[in-house]
Amino acid sequence: MLLDGDQWRRHFDGYQRDAFRLEAQPTYTMPREAESLARFLRGEPKPADHNSAWHARVRGFVSSGRTIGRVRVVRRPLTDYQRYQFTWGIPGNIESGENIRILDVTENDLGIPDRDWWLFDGSSAVHLNFRPDGTQINRELITGDVRRHREWMELSLAHSVSFADYLRDHG
């Protein structure tokens, strides 16, 4: 089942305890980020309100007692988009309450599929499907057993490091 627009927003916002994302694309091509990415690549300063809508959502989730986090999968060298995330995106997301860890699979992919997905409350998985250029095609609610997603989540968490530790060791 595909989740678009309001269906996606309701499904996402309706989680009760925890939301986890495996973020595996090397690049995301999103129209609403195009200008910010271009500004970053030109070396311009980050706007004070960069990603403020997401930060407000994260603060809302956390203040209601829910957790939200992700493991960002990378291969060195980082893509321009990943450098943009590391500089302009991830620090503010963490400050807002999102738990973000980095899984460097440069030397070992651990058998985790190279795709993006969310897992909500350990029981509902949604695949984020992309074109090779990083443009999102759709969001697909996975029906049935999501045990493999829980296993991949545990594996990625066990082998990832905090964002701060990754920057210290690879920054």
Side-chain angles (χ1 to χ4, degrees):
M1 170 184 189
L2 298 182
L3 297 175
D4 289 317
D6 290 339
Q7 279 184 312
W8 168 238
R9 181 74 178 233
R10 281 191 305 274
H11 190 82
F12 193 108
D13 290 349
Y15 80 92
Q16 300 297 307
R17 294 178 314 281
D18 51 80
F20 171 83
R21 179 174 179 178
L22 185 77
E23 190 172 43
Q25 300 299 305
T27 298
Y28 297 93
T29 303
M30 296 184 288
R32 70 176 191 275
E33 279 190 340
E35 182 55 33
S36 291
L37 177 59
R39 290 177 71 177
F40 168 77
L41 293 174
R42 290 191 301 262
E44 296 177 18
K46 178 175 82 170
D49 66 345
H50 178 75
N51 217 12
S52 60
W54 177 248
H55 297 159
R57 284 184 77 195
V58 168
R59 285 191 297 275
F61 297 141
V62 171
S63 69
S64 72
R66 296 178 285 176
T67 63
I68 185 166
R70 70 183 75 201
V71 168
R72 178 59 168 114
V73 178
V74 299
R75 285 181 179 79
R76 286 175 272 129
L78 298 180
T79 65
D80 286 345
Y81 187 88
Q82 289 167 335
R83 291 186 312 101
Y84 161 71
Q85 276 188 313
F86 276 42
T87 305
W88 280 27
I90 292 174
N93 293 0
I94 291 171
E95 288 172 18
S96 298
E98 188 175 356
N99 178 17
I100 300 178
R101 299 178 61 78
I102 307 299
L103 176 61
D104 190 324
V105 296
T106 302
E107 296 177 16
N108 182 1
D109 70 10
L110 302 173
I112 297 172
D114 211 11
R115 72 171 319 138
D116 285 40
W117 46 269
W118 280 95
L119 183 65
F120 300 101
D121 298 325
S123 62
S124 171
V126 176
H127 287 178
L128 307 177
N129 299 310
F130 294 88
R131 291 187 181 99
D133 73 350
T135 302
Q136 189 174 92
I137 300 166
N138 58 37
R139 298 170 201 95
E140 179 184 1
L141 178 63
I142 303 307
T143 57
D145 190 5
V146 296
R147 186 177 5 213
R148 290 292 297 155
H149 292 82
R150 288 193 302 269
E151 291 169 0
W152 294 325
M153 178 184 72
E154 294 300 327
L155 185 63
S156 68
L157 288 169
H159 290 274
S160 61
V161 297
S162 73
F163 179 67
D165 286 349
Y166 189 83
L167 286 183
R168 183 194 67 228
D169 295 342
H170 299 285

